[in-house]
Amino acid sequence: MEFNIIDKTPLWNTLSELGKRIFLPDGIFYWSGRAKKEAEIIGTIGSAFGYERDFIDGGSDEWLPCYLKTIKEYSSLDVRSIVPYASIGGLSDIREIWKKWIVKKSGYDDKKKIELLEKSITKPIVTQGITNGIFLCCAFLLNPGEIIISPNKRWGNYDNIITKFLGVNIKSFDFFKDQKLNVQGLKEAIKEVANKQDKIIVILNFPNNPTGYVPTKTEGRELVDALKETQKDINKPIVVLADDAYEPYVYSDEVIEKSIFYDLIELDEDIIPIKLDGISKELLAYGGRIGFVTIGLKPKWVGSEEDLDTLKAEINNKLEGINRSTISNANHFYQAVTQKMFEEVGMDNILKEREKIRALLQSRYKKINKELENLGNPDISVDPNAGGFFLFVNLNPNKMKASEFADHLLKKYKVGVIPIEKPQNNINGIRIAYCSIDIEKIPEIVRRISSALNDF
Ligand SMILES: Cc1ncc(COP(=O)(O)O)c(C=O)c1O
């Protein structure tokens, strides 16, 4: 593939050496594609095929991927949806469906807005869960030694992927100031990093793990305005990785009801949002390991619709190049299941089914926040939260270390929570995963936390 467009867009300046270098060679795919169209006998596919009767007692005359009979006992799906490799970027149909799902999640009903969104986003590429999507994006964008910006309260696995695995540095900023999103802290972090490198990469996650934080509508606007202003000031492209793992789990009317990806895509500035979402939490299929990476482009970068399509194809080729050299391709079975759900059940019914679970979590969210508030304990403070699966209780660092408190809570009160203790990032507290605690048990867990605080 030739790359004639991408290197003339601001996206190019945000890529790592790997991102610039990687591509998916034609190789096997070129010859397989040609063989499908031109050959009489195909000897290109590297998986075993045969007439079903030749490998299954009583099998049909169909030419199928060879499979073990017992596999059929575990799924009623056609073996062609289970056994073969999926395509490198994901099954074409599920990629199209997920693109429509992203449009649906925008909540837009204005035709023009929908058209612009459809035009501006790449076809989602399928990864092995969002974790793999985060890895893919960070490898695509950042060289070892470069810097990504992230709030101090973040999913712990970012540090594994970004720092330990990729050798990239994380510039942390305090997520909250006076119980509000610390927009000023983000601005300062961007300006500081802009003095050192020619691109800014930020990763944001709402609803957040570990805090459950979702920006209020005002904070959301302030965040978008701050990114706009700062981009103008520094005059360098800003990529925002929107980790939308918990996107649908929002429990308050006061907070933004959709991903910031949608606001960022509409900006004229060179702010490039990348959406990371997937079935793990959204469709409650954690083990399915299906995630999606979707890049928001600015149509103004290119001169014509045709060039925009070429740009999308070039980006797709590069991302497929990363998939090919890491995971090769993602779980076929779960792509097929997801596709079937969308095709046979439909988006609206999926939303209806899921609403019960969202409402269940919302009732726990209300209960646990109320119970913690009622404690009125000056040694703890709960971070603002309005969504997701967790909340975060800050502990007075002068009185207790989070890990020691968690140990005491577990040993004496038989309550398990995750302590997060990073003094260098001003963090000392416990994450409570209320997503997995029955509402009836919430008063009891809070009572035990209170007792543990009193006799620590
Ligand atoms: C913020 C956040 N992002 C991403 C993930 C990973 O999602 P997946 O299971 O799809 O890899 C998680 C899972 O805990 C998470 O909390």
Side-chain angles (χ1 to χ4, degrees):
M1 169 145 208
E2 286 180 34
F3 295 90
N4 295 322
I5 307 276
I6 192 170
D7 58 352
K8 296 175 193 75
T9 69
L11 180 65
W12 185 255
N13 304 329
T14 69
L15 301 187
S16 62
E17 290 305 316
L18 167 79
K20 289 182 174 151
R21 186 174 68 230
I22 195 85
F23 66 96
L24 182 70
D26 289 339
I28 290 178
F29 307 96
Y30 169 77
W31 291 106
S32 305
R34 275 196 59 187
K36 257 192 210 160
K37 288 187 202 133
E38 299 170 40
E40 285 179 358
I41 302 171
I42 297 182
T44 53
I45 303 170
S47 37
F49 271 72
Y51 293 108
E52 196 184 36
R53 59 176 140 77
D54 290 341
F55 57 86
I56 298 283
D57 289 341
S60 71
D61 293 336
E62 267 192 289
W63 182 253
L64 290 176
C66 298
Y67 63 92
L68 300 182
K69 199 166 127 237
T70 43
I71 208 164
K72 281 206 154 179
E73 288 170 22
Y74 301 106
S75 169
S76 57
L77 285 182
D78 190 309
V79 285
R80 279 167 287 214
S81 297
I82 304 176
V83 173
Y85 289 121
S87 355
I88 293 173
L91 299 180
S92 181
D93 287 348
I94 191 64
R95 297 181 70 184
E96 283 300 340
I97 289 169
W98 201 265
K99 188 167 178 181
K100 290 197 182 109
W101 183 235
I102 288 178
V103 172
K104 170 110 181 156
K105 291 191 283 184
S106 73
Y108 294 159
D109 43 25
D110 180 315
K111 228 174 130 203
K112 274 212 176 118
K113 274 186 120 174
I114 292 176
E115 268 169 26
L116 182 65
L117 179 60
E118 281 170 343
K119 195 163 118 179
S120 308
I121 59 178
T122 55
K123 193 149 97 173
I125 185 157
V126 182
T127 57
Q128 277 284 119
I130 300 181
T131 307
N132 175 232
I134 295 165
F135 163 79
L136 178 148
C137 290
C138 291
F140 190 49
L141 298 167
L142 290 148
N143 293 313
E146 286 187 332
I147 307 166
I148 183 170
I149 298 169
S150 165
N152 60 344
K153 285 172 177 157
R154 56 180 174 258
W155 185 37
N157 209 14
Y158 290 173
D159 296 62
N160 295 328
I161 299 168
I162 296 170
T163 311
K164 297 190 196 77
F165 196 98
L166 291 171
V168 169
N169 300 314
I170 301 180
K171 164 73 197 156
S172 263
F173 66 96
D174 286 352
F175 206 6
F176 305 113
K177 190 157 184 241
D178 305 327
Q179 293 288 90
K180 287 209 163 92
L181 180 65
N182 180 14
V183 176
Q184 188 56 31
L186 171 63
K187 274 181 163 176
E188 282 162 16
I190 294 178
K191 287 191 178 155
E192 188 185 317
V193 175
N195 288 330
K196 297 181 192 152
Q197 67 191 38
D198 283 336
K199 62 185 174 198
I200 297 295
I201 318 291
V202 183
I203 185 162
L204 295 172
N205 159 231
F206 309 125
N208 173 259
N209 176 3
T211 63
Y213 171 74
V214 187
T216 61
K217 291 188 170 113
T218 315
E219 288 168 316
R221 268 193 305 275
E222 282 169 7
L223 171 63
V224 173
D225 289 346
L227 286 166
K228 252 169 94 161
E229 261 173 47
T230 323
Q231 198 282 328
K232 274 200 193 112
D233 279 357
I234 60 171
N235 199 23
K236 293 176 181 179
I238 301 181
V239 178
V240 178
L241 300 176
D243 178 346
D244 290 337
Y246 302 90
E247 192 175 15
Y249 302 99
V250 173
Y251 312 130
S252 156
D253 294 338
E254 276 155 40
V255 298
I256 57 172
E257 73 279 0
K258 59 173 181 277
S259 165
I260 50 154
F261 176 80
Y262 298 101
D263 285 332
L264 299 180
I265 212 165
E266 285 175 6
L267 301 180
D268 266 345
E269 287 76 14
D270 288 333
I271 295 176
I272 306 164
I274 301 186
K275 188 163 179 21
L276 297 155
D277 51 15
I279 69 168
S280 307
K281 330 271 162 159
E282 248 183 271
L283 301 184
L284 300 132
Y286 317 91
R289 310 312 301 136
I290 301 297
F292 297 87
V293 172
T294 312
I295 304 188
L297 309 171
K298 310 282 158 153
K300 66 160 191 187
W301 289 343
V302 291
S304 65
E305 297 261 329
E306 204 187 327
D307 282 356
L308 189 58
D309 287 342
T310 310
L311 173 61
K312 286 180 185 172
E314 290 177 7
I315 294 170
N316 189 64
N317 178 285
K318 282 186 169 288
L319 298 183
E320 288 194 350
I322 301 183
N323 260 8
R324 181 65 176 154
S325 34
T326 49
I327 59 165
S328 197
N329 48 76
N331 184 309
H332 191 154
F333 175 75
Y334 262 96
Q335 290 186 64
V337 171
T338 309
Q339 184 176 328
K340 282 227 170 278
M341 277 168 70
F342 279 105
E343 283 171 353
E344 292 174 10
V345 181
M347 289 185 187
D348 288 327
N349 287 325
I350 290 176
L351 289 174
K352 241 191 244 162
E353 265 184 56
R354 194 185 57 201
E355 173 52 22
K356 285 202 181 121
I357 296 153
R358 195 205 62 82
L360 184 73
L361 297 181
Q362 182 178 37
S363 60
R364 296 179 190 169
Y365 146 84
K366 284 186 181 157
K367 184 86 182 160
I368 192 162
N369 273 286
K370 195 150 195 358
E371 295 283 333
L372 284 166
E373 196 185 318
N374 288 345
L375 285 186
N377 187 320
D379 286 329
I380 63 167
S381 69
V382 179
D383 280 332
N385 66 98
F389 283 14
F390 315 99
L391 59 67
F392 193 76
V393 181
N394 298 285
L395 304 172
N396 183 344
N398 301 322
K399 294 211 174 146
M400 60 200 116
K401 280 179 147 194
S403 55
E404 289 172 8
F405 177 74
D407 183 61
H408 170 63
L409 186 61
L410 188 56
K411 275 199 189 121
K412 184 157 178 202
Y413 293 95
K414 307 289 172 217
V415 170
V417 293
I418 303 286
I420 309 183
E421 201 181 287
K422 289 195 205 163
Q424 71 281 15
N425 289 148
N426 306 325
I427 305 180
N428 184 59
I430 52 171
R431 186 191 77 171
I432 306 178
Y434 62 81
C435 59
S436 56
I437 307 172
D438 182 39
I439 193 159
E440 301 293 326
K441 294 221 169 88
I442 285 176
E444 178 60 16
I445 188 178
V446 174
R447 199 188 57 73
R448 292 189 195 191
I449 288 172
S450 174
S451 306
L453 283 165
N454 290 336
D455 67 5
F456 183 71

